[in-house]
Amino acid sequence: MLDLDLWKEILSALRQNRLRSFMTAFGVFWGIFMLIIMSGAGRALENGVMEGVKAFATNSAFFWTERTSVPYEGFQRGRRWIYNNQDIEYIRQNVSEIEYLSPRLFGWQQNGDNTVRGERTGAFNIFGDYPDYFKIDGWTPVKGRLMNEIDVRQKRKVCVIGERVEEVMFDKEEDPIGQYLKISGVYFQVVGVIHPETRINIGGGKKEETIIIPFSTMQTAYNYGDEIHFFSVTANRGTSVSALEEKLKRILKERHKIAPDDMQAIGSFNIEAEFKKFSMLFFGIQALTWIVGIGTLMAGVIGVSNIMLVIIKERTQEIGIQRAIGATPAKIMLHIIAESVFLTVMAGYVGLSLGVGLLEVLNQILLAAGDEVFFRNPEVNLSMALSALAVLVFAGAFAGFIPARRAIRIKPIDALRDEG
Amino acid sequence: MITLNNIHKSYVMGSSKLHVLKGIDLDIEQGEFVSIMGSSGSGKSTLLNILGMLDNYDEGTYHLDNKLIANMSEKKSAQLRNEMVGFVFQSFNLISFKNAMENVALPLYYKGVNRKKRNAIAMEYLDKLGLAPWAEHMPNEMSGGQKQRVAIARALISHPKIILADEPTGALDTSTSYEVMEILKEINNEGITVIIVTHEHDIAAMTQKVVRLKDGRIDEIIRNGDLRAFRHTYNKELETA
């Protein structure tokens, strides 16, 4: 079917008009090139963002307190309030949908340098946390270990520190593990240096400038009583965190005499909803990419179709001869469609290769730039390339179809008479 | 071999209708060498196209090899043309980007013969017509006579029962014309029916039967024995001209 003669014919037809073939092919080339580049860039943005949040529990929600905005049960609006240990105790016992629950206290970076070691001082973000926190917002120990249950239970004066803290408070050759840091007047032993796995940042400040100490130690050592500034929860498998968020808000409002319709008093944030927004955004980007890409490709394909019509017009006589000596209409049609598919696929293939090549170069540059960029792995996956190829073949066939129909409608006798 | 019965054909040209063939009755036997003559517009090319299944007719019947040729699909007529008919055209109609051998082999390509085999057969035919050294040449590197011989080889390669030639000598000088006619005669001697359209009397005089068309009707048929007389009248026509 697609034998040497067919190829010779196609190549000679294209060679006869190099410039025209090139210009035509360029439309298709540009379409597929754009499609690949845009899709790759969109994917890179998605990868970059998703890479930054992949170690973060997607079923998590976070709660803090704000002033009340509705007067209720004798309290005026604008009241300050705060969570306490009893709230957490109550939630642990009465809400079964919770997987992890981790209360937190915030330290005092705003008061200037809060950490001292010999001659060295620094201002860091101090958090009192439970070990469950590491299951919500992932951290890995670079040196030493993470904080554990026993640290909390025994109210040990230990801390894990971010990499920037290590850099500021210790010499390069020094091993920070086992050393002491004086944090707001209390000595803590460093048990681990930790590295953040995600870019999602709860509580502000740079994640590398974090010092985490056991929640219980922080509450006792700095006289917080039973106060809690903030807590994080994750929902059990099969439970929607949005539903859990609403339930917890209802409970907390009841326990703290806050009007049920007070929208401001409890600050909260749930990652599930944010993830949905992101997914929609990336879906939108991909959809737009395909719409624009296919549009550009269509313009190219129409060009191919147009040029095929011209070629057929020029070859009317030749088609007439072929039919006179026994070429069936199907054969003629196959020739024309094959030629069109060939032109489209060749142009598309070049576009595809150049697009992928450019993305690869971009990728190398990004890799060299380190992981501080929100743009990662601008890749084109196999399915993307295959679907682009499928689109090309289909588009080529489509571009050839109308001219081919035109060609077989020419009667052999008219074609022979064409030259007059 | 060929039986035409009351063939009518008209072309629609815009609003007017051009009645080209107005009832043609014609029998051509296997192995005959026939020429169709007539002034331009007499319908000779149209008749040839109908014979070659390149065009259809409006009315009447056409039997080729006892088969009724009517209302065929394009595919069927293409196959039948391929099997039964070889065409030779005035302007040779070789395919410009194929060399002589490939041009000759083309009908076999449409028959599905593989490349090696069909090129070998094509070489045989080129050799027969004395064109073997020219096998690799492109049409634009050959003279008119050579091109027409290539076209004849192409017409012969699929073993047709009929060769249809539309003004085969129209674009050639006299001596080349005679050469081509010699070739056609040889083909005819092998038992193939040859039908040519021409308006040249000397060419027509080389055939066994001359069919003269006039205004879409057969004016006269001059048979073998009468050809001497035809030559005579032809010479007289020349003298008066």
Side-chain angles (χ1 to χ4, degrees):
Chain A
M1 213 168 70
L2 295 174
D3 53 26
L4 196 62
D5 288 64
L6 180 56
W7 291 117
K8 272 183 103 168
E9 202 157 308
I10 289 171
L11 286 176
S12 77
L14 296 179
R15 216 179 293 131
Q16 267 165 16
N17 268 297
R18 280 166 208 268
L19 183 65
R20 191 175 64 194
S21 303
F22 173 77
M23 296 299 264
T24 311
F26 189 80
V28 172
F29 158 79
W30 192 244
I32 204 82
F33 184 72
M34 290 300 286
L35 183 62
I36 293 294
I37 291 293
M38 290 198 307
S39 172
R43 187 75 66 191
L45 190 63
E46 185 173 345
N47 285 344
V49 171
M50 286 308 178
E51 173 77 20
V53 299
K54 73 167 186 233
F56 209 94
T58 52
N59 59 344
S60 52
F62 307 88
F63 298 82
W64 61 95
T65 63
E66 302 277 354
R67 289 184 181 208
T68 60
S69 65
V70 178
Y72 189 64
E73 291 204 4
F75 290 109
Q76 288 195 331
R77 61 192 292 265
R79 171 169 63 103
R80 288 174 188 276
W81 65 288
I82 204 155
Y83 304 125
N84 56 42
N85 287 353
Q86 291 76 43
D87 292 332
I88 300 301
E89 214 41 52
Y90 180 86
I91 290 168
R92 276 196 207 282
Q93 272 159 26
N94 293 289
V95 183
S96 57
E97 297 98 314
I98 289 179
E99 185 185 17
Y100 298 118
L101 173 60
S102 174
R104 160 178 271 195
L105 282 167
F106 289 112
W108 335 250
Q109 196 197 17
Q110 59 269 35
N111 300 345
D113 288 358
N114 51 21
T115 308
V116 183
R117 178 174 176 256
E119 302 279 285
R120 299 162 186 267
T121 61
F124 301 115
N125 310 305
I126 318 292
F127 298 115
D129 272 318
Y130 276 85
D132 277 354
Y133 183 69
F134 299 121
K135 287 170 177 147
I136 297 168
D137 182 3
W139 294 76
T140 43
V142 184
K143 291 175 183 162
R145 61 173 173 89
L146 288 176
M147 198 174 65
N148 62 32
E149 284 295 335
I150 303 164
D151 295 331
V152 175
R153 215 176 303 137
Q154 298 186 349
K155 299 184 183 175
R156 284 179 177 171
K157 292 205 182 71
V158 294
C159 65
V160 289
I161 60 175
E163 286 155 314
R164 175 77 187 142
V165 180
E166 184 195 5
E167 235 176 271
V168 174
M169 304 305 290
F170 297 94
D171 278 340
K172 262 211 173 96
E173 319 78 56
E174 235 175 334
D175 182 12
I177 308 300
Q179 303 291 318
Y180 288 89
L181 289 178
K182 190 173 159 190
I183 301 167
S184 291
V186 182
Y187 279 96
F188 285 83
Q189 189 179 27
V190 176
V191 295
V193 178
I194 54 176
H195 175 76
E197 286 298 295
T198 79
R199 283 172 206 282
I200 295 181
N201 195 336
I202 309 287
K206 284 194 177 140
K207 285 191 116 173
E208 287 75 14
E209 296 180 357
T210 296
I211 297 177
I212 296 176
I213 61 179
F215 178 85
S216 52
T217 318
M218 186 154 174
Q219 223 177 21
T220 319
Y222 300 102
N223 294 321
Y224 280 106
D226 60 359
E227 280 180 16
I228 290 168
H229 292 146
F230 177 93
F231 67 92
S232 326
V233 297
T234 61
N236 267 333
R237 201 171 284 276
T239 308
S240 151
V241 70
S242 303
L244 178 62
E245 183 186 0
E246 288 312 308
K247 185 172 179 179
L248 290 176
K249 276 180 158 180
R250 220 163 39 241
I251 291 170
L252 290 165
K253 279 175 179 171
E254 210 170 287
R255 288 177 61 80
H256 289 275
K257 295 194 168 52
I258 291 162
D261 58 344
D262 191 337
M263 302 305 285
Q264 186 192 299
I266 299 179
S268 73
F269 168 84
N270 108 49
I271 292 283
E272 187 183 57
E274 301 303 311
F275 263 80
K276 267 185 193 151
K277 275 186 219 161
F278 270 120
S279 308
M280 283 305 289
L281 176 69
F282 291 126
F283 176 77
I285 290 174
Q286 287 295 334
L288 195 70
T289 299
W290 278 92
I291 289 169
V292 174
I294 297 278
T296 319
L297 198 60
M298 275 306 290
V301 165
I302 288 167
V304 171
S305 194
N306 218 342
I307 227 67
M308 291 305 297
L309 278 176
V310 174
I311 288 175
I312 280 154
K313 189 93 193 133
E314 281 176 359
R315 291 202 307 210
T316 299
Q317 196 203 350
E318 182 191 308
I319 290 167
I321 303 165
Q322 288 174 337
R323 296 197 54 185
I325 61 179
T328 56
K331 204 132 201 165
I332 300 276
M333 230 169 142
L334 175 74
H335 274 211
I336 290 155
I337 290 176
E339 187 165 327
S340 164
V341 169
F342 175 76
L343 192 64
T344 314
V345 169
M346 280 313 281
Y349 184 75
V350 174
L352 199 70
S353 310
L354 278 182
V356 169
L358 189 67
L359 285 181
E360 192 50 43
V361 170
L362 210 66
N363 197 14
Q364 294 304 321
I365 294 170
L366 287 178
L367 282 180
D371 61 4
E372 286 304 310
V373 265
F374 252 152
F375 208 74
R376 191 180 282 261
N377 279 337
E379 61 187 1
V380 176
N381 54 28
L382 190 65
S383 74
M384 167 82 193
L386 285 181
S387 46
L389 206 64
V391 165
L392 279 175
V393 171
F394 178 78
F398 176 77
F401 186 71
I402 294 167
R405 281 262 308 276
R406 173 80 58 91
I408 62 162
R409 238 184 285 141
I410 301 171
K411 283 180 162 181
I413 170 68
D414 294 333
L416 287 173
R417 206 183 279 152
D418 188 60
E419 37 100 46
Chain B
M1 186 69 193
I2 289 173
T3 312
L4 294 179
N5 190 8
N6 193 29
I7 294 288
H8 283 262
K9 173 73 183 175
S10 32
Y11 291 109
V12 180
M13 315 277 274
S15 56
S16 63
K17 208 168 134 188
L18 193 62
H19 202 166
V20 184
L21 297 181
K22 300 167 181 167
I24 301 283
D25 296 295
L26 184 62
D27 285 297
I28 294 171
E29 298 303 321
Q30 172 84 46
E32 274 192 290
F33 194 1
V34 182
S35 58
I36 300 171
M37 290 197 69
S39 53
S40 61
S42 61
K44 53 188 194 300
S45 285
T46 305
L47 180 59
L48 194 76
N49 288 328
I50 288 172
L51 289 175
M53 293 170 282
L54 289 173
D55 208 348
N56 43 18
Y57 50 92
D58 301 335
E59 222 180 281
T61 54
Y62 166 28
H63 285 89
L64 174 63
D65 211 13
N66 293 324
K67 259 180 280 182
L68 178 67
I69 308 298
N71 298 325
M72 281 189 306
S73 72
E74 282 291 343
K75 191 180 168 190
K76 187 88 185 70
S77 65
Q79 282 165 352
L80 219 60
R81 274 198 295 271
N82 191 286
E83 282 169 29
M84 302 281 289
V85 189
F87 289 92
V88 177
F89 303 96
Q90 176 178 6
S91 49
F92 324 124
N93 283 347
L94 300 178
I95 291 182
S96 58
F97 54 83
K98 287 179 185 292
N99 66 29
M101 180 178 70
E102 288 166 331
N103 262 292
V104 173
L106 203 57
L108 294 184
Y109 167 59
Y110 294 125
K111 248 184 183 167
V113 178
N114 77 47
R115 187 179 175 78
K116 239 184 176 158
K117 199 169 162 195
R118 65 173 190 260
N119 282 347
I121 299 173
M123 277 309 293
E124 265 174 50
Y125 277 85
L126 281 175
D127 197 28
K128 236 188 225 177
L129 290 163
L131 283 171
W134 297 85
E136 301 289 332
H137 286 237
M138 301 308 262
N140 60 7
E141 299 164 343
M142 288 186 279
S143 71
Q146 285 169 330
K147 279 194 243 185
Q148 196 59 298
R149 277 188 279 164
V150 171
I152 291 170
R154 183 177 67 185
L156 287 173
I157 198 167
S158 55
H159 301 294
K161 298 223 161 61
I162 312 166
I163 294 284
L164 295 177
D166 192 357
E167 305 263 12
T169 59
L172 304 174
D173 60 50
T174 315
S175 65
T176 321
S177 292
Y178 288 167
E179 272 174 42
V180 167
M181 285 309 289
E182 274 311 309
I183 294 167
L184 289 175
K185 255 187 197 167
E186 276 168 38
I187 292 165
N188 179 243
N189 286 341
E190 287 167 25
I192 298 171
T193 313
V194 178
I195 303 172
I196 64 172
V197 161
T198 184
H199 59 262
E200 291 165 89
H201 289 84
D202 54 337
I203 297 297
M206 292 178 198
T207 62
Q208 299 161 358
K209 178 163 142 185
V210 180
V211 179
R212 267 180 182 268
L213 289 186
K214 200 173 181 184
D215 296 331
R217 289 196 178 85
I218 293 178
D219 188 39
E220 57 174 332
I221 296 177
I222 303 161
R223 293 202 169 276
N224 211 354
D226 310 329
L227 271 175
R228 204 172 293 273
F230 171 72
R231 283 211 183 94
H232 184 69
T233 35
Y234 159 66
N235 284 335
K236 250 180 25 195
E237 270 173 37
L238 265 188
E239 278 163 24
T240 51

